[in-house]
Amino acid sequence: MSCMHKYRLGLEELDAAIDGVSGGIGILVEGPSISGKEAIVYSLIRQGLDDGEGVVLIPTMETGENVLASYGNTKNLRVVDCMSRPLGLDRLDSANVKYVNGPGDITGMGVWTGRLLAEFSGRPVRLCIDSLSTLLMYSSLQLIFRFLHMLNGKVFAAGGLSVGVVDEGMHDQKTMASLRQLYRAALELKEGEDACYVRAVRLTPLPTPWFRFGEVIE
């Protein structure tokens, strides 16, 4: 059963420090816009696919075709595409990619994400929304809160892992506090002089140490 499954994050030192993540939990990936979040998201998705989990990804700045091209094994990857239609690209739904009208089409995203999660019923599943900051540019905090509460409820009931990505410097304290209500734990990111660092908060009794995971790109 997926509720017994331990989820790995794809970051070796961090995974060793937390000894896997139990199902039924949400993780908020927080950091400034240039803190290497793309590398973290790639690791999270790649690890899920490597572990044979079902993965549902909502990317708000990339087309579904580009996302699929980033991963070799897409058998268990499903994408809700928010970008193709706003760019004027005429695409038909496929097994891997479902299309909505844009980042403001919360209803369409909710319907397709629910259906895609149901495809993986009885299996370990992880949902990733990259990013919440983009969604908040098109819809109110109240609407996004209800949307995330609904999706996280489905993921948690299935013993899955839900990940949300946010550019912390873009939002006021009220918005960040609301998002943190929806995700019990966090991966906090920061930049040093020549590298990016990550630590986990609320996945262990105390925050983990900061672990290096990538180079700073000027």
Side-chain angles (χ1 to χ4, degrees), residues 8-28:
R8 296 190 293 167
L9 305 179
L11 303 162
E12 186 174 354
E13 291 180 310
L14 193 58
D15 280 324
I18 63 178
D19 192 27
V21 179
S22 299
I25 194 172
I27 298 176
L28 190 64

Side-chain angles (χ1 to χ4, degrees), residues 16 21 67 80 95 114 142 165 172 182:
V21 179
V67 169
V80 179
Q142 183 179 25
V165 183
D172 58 25
L182 296 160

